[in-house]
Amino acid sequence: WERGLLPYVLDMIADILELMIGMSDGETLIMLVLDFVNAFFLLPLWREEYRYFVAAFRGYFFIWLRVAQGSENGPQLFERASAQATRFTASLGPASHLRQQNYTGDPWFAIRGTKEQVGNMTATVILVWLALGFPLAFDEGQRGQQITWVGRDVNIDTDTQHVAVSIKAEFMKELRATTQDLMTRSSAHS
């Protein structure tokens, strides 16, 4: 298997800055994050593959008819499918106005233009994904100049051409607690 390349945070920052540099009066820049629902289960299996997706429980056998989350190649398979979908939607607009990064089932877009152009492009991207058969997590969707994507809080200010990216506060809180716990255990064993 070849592995899909996942984007770095710097890829997203570079996209935002390149879009900001080209902005003209009357234009805005927004980000769109709209995850795919039940990502892996969207991919059906061939009948010949069923034998690789079987579990035994209390005397019964369960056969998955779709790629199961947690399966060895599930992330790679869905990465390929979602990468194709986001490549297709990224081609709907010029790179000077539309950029995208895709982290498996978590696509991110930056869209530059007038408010009307940004609204039209947002609707186009969403409608294309729906037409391709991807159910979308509208209840978790984000659109604006402040979003959270793959564990990072992203804020853009087009007036000052500033991008701020930080690790989610919940992650930092958990990291501090884990670090404190490890330090406490370490000193107790000394």
Side-chain angles (χ1 to χ4, degrees):
W1 278 103
E2 72 180 66
R3 298 214 179 256
L5 296 176
L6 296 175
Y8 294 104
V9 174
L10 286 175
D11 297 327
M12 177 190 59
I13 294 169
D15 284 342
I16 293 169
L17 292 173
E18 288 176 17
L19 290 174
M20 279 184 184
I21 289 171
M23 288 180 69
S24 52
D25 290 339
E27 287 189 323
T28 188
L29 176 64
I30 65 99
M31 295 175 287
L32 171 67
V33 174
L34 192 54
D35 297 350
F36 301 129
V37 176
N38 296 324
F40 300 132
F41 292 110
L42 297 175
L43 302 175
L45 295 169
W46 290 12
R47 183 173 291 281
E48 295 82 22
E49 297 173 311
Y50 290 175
R51 63 185 169 153
Y52 302 112
F53 290 86
V54 177
F57 182 70
R58 295 186 180 171
Y60 292 94
F61 289 95
F62 296 89
I63 301 171
W64 277 259
L65 305 180
R66 298 183 167 276
V67 174
Q69 188 152 350
S71 60
E72 184 175 347
N73 291 316
Q76 291 174 347
L77 292 171
F78 187 76
E79 171 60 30
R80 288 173 185 234
S82 65
Q84 183 65 36
T86 52
R87 268 193 229 95
F88 177 69
T89 49
S91 72
L92 296 172
S96 61
H97 287 73
L98 178 65
R99 299 292 178 92
Q100 67 88 30
Q101 299 292 336
N102 184 36
Y103 198 96
T104 311
D106 301 324
W108 167 91
F109 278 84
I111 307 168
R112 182 187 113 200
T114 64
K115 287 187 179 193
E116 183 179 357
Q117 290 169 329
V118 168
N120 289 341
M121 184 52 65
T122 301
T124 301
V125 166
I126 291 169
L127 289 172
V128 166
W129 285 341
L130 291 173
L132 291 172
F134 289 95
L136 303 171
F138 288 106
D139 58 325
E140 298 173 13
Q142 304 169 71
R143 182 176 179 264
Q145 294 189 335
Q146 298 179 352
I147 57 99
T148 299
W149 182 63
V150 293
R152 274 92 176 170
D153 293 323
V154 184
N155 296 289
I156 59 176
D157 183 341
T158 54
D159 294 331
T160 61
Q161 294 190 335
H162 182 258
V163 181
V165 180
S166 59
I167 296 172
K168 279 177 51 174
E170 299 94 54
F171 287 175
M172 289 305 296
K173 183 178 178 181
E174 186 178 321
L175 177 62
R176 285 186 191 104
T178 302
T179 303
Q180 184 62 41
D181 183 51
L182 289 172
M183 291 175 66
T184 303
R185 288 182 192 186
S186 176
S187 64
H189 288 73
S190 303

